Amino acid sequence: MRIPLQLAVIFAICLAGEFLHRIVGVPLPGNIIGMVLLLILLCTKVIKPEQISGVSSFFLNHLALFFLPPSIAIMAVGDDVLSKWPLLLFLCIAFTLVAIAAGGRVTQFFIRRQEYRENLALRAERLSKRAECNGTIGGEK
Amino acid sequence: MNAIINSPLFGIFLTLIAFETGVFISKKFKYSFLNPLLIGNILIVGFLLITGVSLESYNVGGDYISVMLSPATVVLAVPLYRQIQKLQHFWKPILAGIFAGSITAMTCVIVAGKLLGLTKVLTLSLLPKSVTIPMGSVISSQIGGIPSVTIIAITVTGITGAVAAPAVCRFCHIKHKVAQGIAIGTASHALGTTRAMEMGEVQGAMSSLAIGIAGLFTAVVAPVLTALS
C-alpha cells in the first residue's frame, strides 16, 4: 500500500474507535478501541503487517514525539498544586519504581513457576515413554 | 510577530526541533536520564517562559502533533500481533503481573494520600497516573480528580519509567523479557513503552499489551478504591 492509503486505513480505524466510544458508548477511550480493532484485523488476516509497515514503523519509531506537546501542559497548573509540586514529583517517581518492581517480580514469579511445571511435565513424559519402551523390550524377551 | 507565533507551524516547528535536539543529546551522552522527551520538555517550557509566548499559542501547533497520539496508539497493535504467541503461552503470569502492578500503583497513592494528608481531589488526580494519557484523564474526571493534574502526573510517571526502567529491572533482578515489558507498560504506559522498545521487541510488545490491560483494570478498580478510601 502507498503511504497515503496506509494513513487512511489507520485514521479510519481511529475514527471507528471514536465512533464506538462516543456514539455507541463503549466505556473505553477511542484509541484503545482502535488498537483492539487493528489487532482483530491483523489476527483475522484482513490486514497484513507489511501492508501498513510504512506508517506503523514511523509512529512506533518516534512514539515519544507525540507525547511532547501534551507534556508541556505542566506549565498550566494552579498555585495550590504548584506549591506541593516537590512532594507530588517525589510520589510519582517513587511509586512508579515500586509499581515496575511489583509488576515485574510478580510476572517473573509466575512465569518461572509455569516453566518449572512444564519442565517437570516434560521430564515425566520422557520417563514414562522410556518405561514403556523398556516394558515392550522386556516383554519380547 | 503575533501572526508568526500563532501560526500552527510555529508550535510544530518548536516541537520537532526540541525533540530532535533531545534525541541528539541523549544519543551523544547516553545517560538514561537524558530522555529525549525530558530534554524536549525542558527546552520548550524554558523557551516559552523566557520569550513569554503563551501555552495557548504553542498549542495551536502542538495540538496537531497531539492528535497523532491516536494513530500512534492504534499501531501499537502491530508489535502486539507479532508477539501474540508469547501472549498466549504466558497469559496467566501476564494478567497476574499487570494486576499486581496496577493495584500496587493505586494502593501506594491512596496510602500516601492518607499518611501525608493530601486533599482528596489531589489523591484522586494521582490515582490513574500509571495509565495512558487518554484513558487516565477520562478515569480521573470520572472519579472526581482534576484531569490536567492527572495528565502531568502521568507524564512524570511515564518519564520516570522511560528513564529508570532498565535500572529497576537490574536492581530487582527482573531478567525475563516478558516480565520486563509487562512491568514497564503497566507502571508507565506508552511513554515507558518507548524505552521498552529500545530494550527489545519482546519487551516493547509486552509493554504495549500491558498499557491496554492495565488501563482496563484501572478503569474498573479505581472507582472501587475511591469508594473505599
Side-chain angles (χ1 to χ4, degrees):
Chain A
M1 272 193 241
R2 288 162 50 80
I3 293 290
L5 190 56
Q6 293 187 23
L7 272 175
V9 168
I10 299 296
F11 283 12
I13 294 169
C14 292
L15 288 173
E18 287 301 323
F19 175 81
L20 286 172
H21 172 61
R22 284 169 206 253
I23 313 291
V24 180
V26 179
L28 283 173
N31 53 0
I32 301 291
I33 301 174
M35 185 179 107
V36 175
L37 288 178
L38 179 57
L39 188 63
I40 292 170
L41 291 173
L42 289 168
C43 287
T44 53
K45 318 268 182 205
V46 176
I47 296 177
K48 294 192 186 89
E50 309 85 65
Q51 289 179 306
I52 51 164
S53 63
V55 167
S56 66
S57 55
F58 170 76
F59 278 118
L60 294 172
N61 290 339
H62 308 289
L63 201 54
L65 171 68
F66 307 103
F67 286 91
L68 186 48
S71 76
I72 307 301
I74 206 153
M75 285 176 73
V77 288
D79 283 342
D80 52 329
V81 179
L82 221 54
S83 63
K84 289 221 170 83
W85 77 265
L87 177 63
L88 298 182
L89 187 68
F90 172 77
L91 292 182
C92 284
I93 292 172
F95 295 161
T96 307
L97 305 182
V98 174
I100 294 175
R105 290 297 299 187
V106 169
T107 313
Q108 187 165 275
F109 171 79
F110 283 110
I111 288 174
R112 293 254 162 92
R113 203 175 69 162
Q114 188 180 328
E115 282 177 339
Y116 176 73
R117 282 182 181 169
E118 282 166 358
N119 279 339
L120 278 188
L122 208 65
R123 211 172 295 163
E125 205 176 299
R126 273 193 211 135
L127 277 177
S128 69
K129 263 190 192 158
R130 204 175 296 162
E132 247 173 56
C133 287
N134 288 341
T136 46
I137 291 165
E140 279 167 3
K141 274 180 185 174
Chain B
M1 201 61 197
N2 268 343
I4 307 247
I5 288 164
N6 286 317
S7 154
L9 290 175
F10 173 76
I12 296 173
F13 175 75
L14 189 59
T15 309
L16 293 173
I17 287 296
F19 185 71
E20 283 305 296
T21 309
V23 170
F24 175 78
I25 292 174
S26 72
K27 279 201 176 139
K28 179 136 194 173
F29 296 102
K30 295 197 159 83
Y31 293 114
S32 58
F33 65 88
L34 287 176
N35 177 273
L37 189 84
L38 190 62
I39 298 168
N41 183 296
I42 292 168
L43 287 176
I44 294 177
V45 170
F47 178 86
L48 297 183
L49 288 177
I50 290 168
T51 58
V53 173
S54 71
L55 184 61
E56 287 74 26
S57 301
Y58 166 74
N59 274 340
V60 172
D63 284 345
Y64 281 82
I65 294 174
S66 303
V67 164
M68 292 301 154
L69 266 176
S70 191
T73 313
V74 168
V75 296
L76 288 174
V78 174
L80 184 52
Y81 170 71
R82 291 212 186 98
Q83 296 294 328
I84 207 98
Q85 292 298 328
K86 286 199 168 66
L87 162 69
Q88 285 165 346
H89 190 218
F90 287 124
W91 70 271
K92 276 183 195 166
I94 285 170
L95 288 185
I98 295 173
F99 194 66
S102 298
I103 290 285
T104 305
M106 286 188 279
T107 311
C108 283
V109 170
I110 287 186
V111 171
K114 292 254 174 202
L115 291 180
L116 300 169
L118 292 180
T119 59
K120 184 149 188 177
V121 177
L122 216 45
T123 307
L124 294 180
S125 304
L126 292 187
L127 201 56
K129 70 175 185 56
S130 286
V131 180
T132 184
I133 288 172
M135 293 185 96
S137 55
V138 173
I139 296 170
S140 173
S141 60
Q142 186 195 340
I143 60 178
I146 312 164
S148 70
V149 175
T150 307
I151 290 174
I152 293 151
I154 290 173
T155 308
V156 172
T157 298
I159 290 174
T160 307
V163 168
V168 177
C169 288
R170 226 176 300 130
F171 183 75
C172 296
H173 303 288
I174 300 164
K175 286 171 192 154
H176 201 285
K177 287 178 181 176
V178 174
Q180 289 177 342
I182 292 298
I184 296 168
T186 304
S188 54
H189 57 94
L191 239 168
T193 301
T194 59
R195 189 60 188 270
M197 279 175 180
E198 284 169 22
M199 291 167 75
E201 201 187 0
V202 178
Q203 286 93 327
M206 288 300 128
S207 187
S208 47
L209 162 71
I211 298 168
I213 301 177
L216 289 175
F217 275 145
T218 306
V220 173
V221 175
V224 178
L225 283 178
T226 308
L228 290 178
S229 69

